[in-house]
């Protein structure tokens, strides 16, 4: 499988998990998806990441996002690890963890980077849209836990920019001003799409209040 790039169709697969076999497309349905890998079960950084992700359940649900973790251990190991995560992180893991012992998913999504580690996955994140297109890819090393607030922020940006002719600027958070895409030139269309008006800092840099707020 060639390396996945933004805009590619996310490859479907069936793989075992702590709750039984999962087919990606069936699991996602018409939702957005976050598919994210972990080097191994019973590792400290992953334990904190999965615990925090479980606590964000309402945030993911509000954005119509289904979460799916990947780790290259078997389903029984995952079940024991989930008990540990629940205990130590004071939460209840509420999404499945794929049991990728045969590395089917890890290889399909290029989650093993041999020059970093020959067997364990790196910390990959794939955001998949309802049309099953890969919309965002993050790759972190095993020793660096990811920022799941950033993942929510990226989903907010993707969902907003899909439905309005805007882009989101540096460090944007939901509710902040946004940028009118440079390709939109027609003043009448701009007025109709952005009734709150906009500030032209430069002809290519036009700032407007977030249109759906
Ligand atoms: C881990 O928790 O996955 C981890 C911790 C230290 C170094 C590498 C990985």
């Amino acid at each position: 499988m060639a390396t996945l790039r933004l805009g590619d169709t996310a490859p479907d697969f069936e793989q075992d998990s702590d709750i039984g076999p999962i087919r990606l497309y069936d699991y996602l349905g018409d939702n957005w998806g976050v598919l994210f890998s972990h080097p191994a079960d019973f590792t400290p950084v992953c334990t904190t990441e999965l615990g925090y992700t479980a606590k964000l359940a309402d945030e993911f649900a509000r954005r119509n996002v289904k979460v799916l973790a990947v780790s290259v251990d078997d389903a029984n190991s995952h079940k024991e690890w989930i008990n540990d995560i629940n205990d130590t992180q004071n939460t209840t893991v509420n999404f499945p963890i794929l049991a990728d012992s045969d590395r089917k998913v890890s290889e399909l999504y290029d989650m093993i980077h041999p020059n970093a580690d020959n067997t364990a996955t790196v910390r990959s994140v794939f955001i998949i849209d309802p049309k099953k297109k890969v919309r965002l890819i993050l790759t972190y090393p095993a020793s660096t836990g990811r920022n799941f607030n950033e993942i929510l922020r990226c989903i907010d940006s993707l969902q907003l920019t899909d439905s309005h002719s805007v882009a989101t600027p540096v460090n944007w958070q939901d509710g902040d001003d946004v940028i009118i895409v440079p390709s939109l030139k027609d003043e009448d269309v701009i007025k109709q799409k952005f009734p709150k008006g906009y500030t032209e800092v430069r002809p290519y840099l036009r700032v407007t209040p977030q249109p759906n707020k």
Side-chain angles (χ1 to χ4, degrees):
M1 168 85 206
T3 306
L4 281 172
R5 293 179 175 166
L6 300 190
D8 290 354
T9 299
D12 197 15
F13 56 77
E14 186 173 306
Q15 182 57 293
D16 197 16
S17 80
D18 63 292
I19 59 163
I22 287 182
R23 180 163 286 283
L24 178 69
Y25 282 17
D26 292 343
Y27 176 73
L28 295 180
D30 293 331
N31 297 283
W32 289 70
V34 172
L35 176 69
F36 63 122
S37 59
H38 297 274
D41 291 4
F42 300 101
T43 51
V45 175
C46 309
T47 299
T48 62
E49 287 187 326
L50 290 178
Y52 191 77
T53 304
K55 289 179 183 166
L56 292 178
D58 289 348
E59 295 297 325
F60 285 115
R62 200 156 64 76
R63 294 164 173 84
N64 298 317
V65 178
K66 301 275 299 267
V67 170
L68 184 57
V70 186
S71 183
V72 292
D73 294 296
D74 65 32
N76 284 334
S77 165
H78 286 359
K79 286 179 197 163
E80 285 176 29
W81 185 32
I82 287 168
N83 288 336
D84 258 17
I85 297 167
N86 292 344
D87 271 2
T88 61
Q89 307 304 302
N90 195 24
T91 189
T92 303
V93 171
N94 38 34
F95 51 84
I97 307 176
L98 293 172
D100 199 37
S101 311
D102 62 3
R103 294 172 171 65
K104 190 201 302 186
V105 176
S106 307
E107 283 169 13
L108 197 56
Y109 278 78
D110 199 23
M111 292 164 164
I112 295 175
H113 295 197
N115 290 326
D117 188 310
N118 226 348
T119 51
T121 53
V122 291
R123 296 185 193 282
S124 300
V125 182
F126 293 85
I127 297 180
I128 301 167
D129 73 14
K131 292 182 180 148
K132 310 291 181 291
K133 298 291 180 200
V134 174
R135 299 295 301 278
L136 186 139
I137 302 172
L138 292 175
T139 309
Y140 276 50
S143 53
T144 304
R146 288 156 287 196
N147 183 336
F148 281 75
N149 297 324
E150 168 64 2
I151 293 169
L152 288 176
R153 193 189 75 90
C154 292
I155 293 165
D156 285 340
S157 173
L158 286 165
Q159 293 184 343
L160 175 71
T161 58
D162 274 4
S163 54
H164 296 84
S165 303
V166 297
T168 57
V170 61
N171 294 345
W172 174 85
Q173 297 285 346
D174 189 37
D176 289 352
D177 287 354
V178 297
I179 289 168
I180 298 173
V181 291
S183 57
L184 188 56
K185 310 267 188 226
D186 185 319
E187 270 305 322
D188 290 337
V189 177
I190 292 175
K191 276 200 186 105
Q192 177 234 317
K193 280 182 181 267
F194 305 104
K196 294 175 201 154
Y198 68 92
T199 304
E200 185 173 296
V201 183
R202 288 286 184 278
Y204 62 85
L205 176 54
R206 300 166 298 176
V207 179
T208 187
Q210 186 171 321
N212 61 349
K213 289 283 172 184

